[in-house]
Amino acid sequence: MKYLFNFLLAVFLTGCSYFIASLILQKGLPLWQALIIGFAVVSLGALTEAIGSPMWLIVFIPFPVGMFLLYTFLNVSVWQWFLTYLLTLVLYTVLHIPMSYFFKFHSLIPAWKLS
């Protein structure tokens, strides 16, 4: 049950990162699209971890999926998409590092220990 809660929390926080970044830089994604991206990224990371992949692959695999979905949903220029993605990564870090430190929540993949 704890894994499911952490998984859903990771999806929500990741989706919020995409949602807030898109709002700051342009008209913004609908929340449901941001949550789809969050679900895809976290699910792929968790699946990669579950099959016993090395850590570098667990970290790398979700990036292209999040980038592609953001580009598809935003429907903006490559430059605007790139800025939005960079801001998403910053917001992701700002949201997840304190969560890991204060609440023992461990980043993108619920079982991946940062602290």
Side-chain angles (χ1 to χ4, degrees), residues 4 7-16 18 31-47 62 65-66 69 73 108-110:
L4 178 63
F7 177 83
L8 293 174
L9 185 58
V11 168
F12 178 74
L13 292 173
T14 303
C16 282
Y18 282 93
L31 183 58
W32 67 271
Q33 287 179 342
L35 291 175
I36 286 173
I37 297 171
F39 180 79
V41 167
V42 172
S43 296
L44 191 55
L47 181 61
V65 172
L69 288 173
F73 287 147
L108 172 66
I109 302 159

Side-chain angles (χ1 to χ4, degrees), residues 87-101:
L87 184 56
T88 298
L89 293 178
V90 169
L91 290 171
Y92 176 88
T93 303
V94 167
L95 288 174
H96 282 74
I97 297 300
M99 289 294 289
S100 178
Y101 181 76

Side-chain angles (χ1 to χ4, degrees), residues 44-113:
L44 191 55
L47 181 61
T48 306
E49 178 192 35
I51 61 173
S53 297
M55 186 57 67
W56 68 268
L57 193 58
I58 294 169
V59 172
F60 173 75
I61 289 291
F63 278 96
V65 172
M67 294 169 90
F68 173 75
L69 288 173
L70 181 65
Y71 184 75
T72 302
F73 287 147
L74 277 181
N75 195 24
V76 296
S77 70
V78 172
W79 179 247
Q80 190 69 29
W81 159 79
F82 184 70
L83 287 175
T84 304
Y85 192 74
L86 286 178
L87 184 56
T88 298
L89 293 178
V90 169
L91 290 171
Y92 176 88
T93 303
V94 167
L95 288 174
H96 282 74
I97 297 300
M99 289 294 289
S100 178
Y101 181 76
F102 291 112
F103 301 105
K104 304 302 180 218
F105 176 74
H106 297 293
S107 193
L108 172 66
I109 302 159
W112 181 24
K113 304 297 186 214

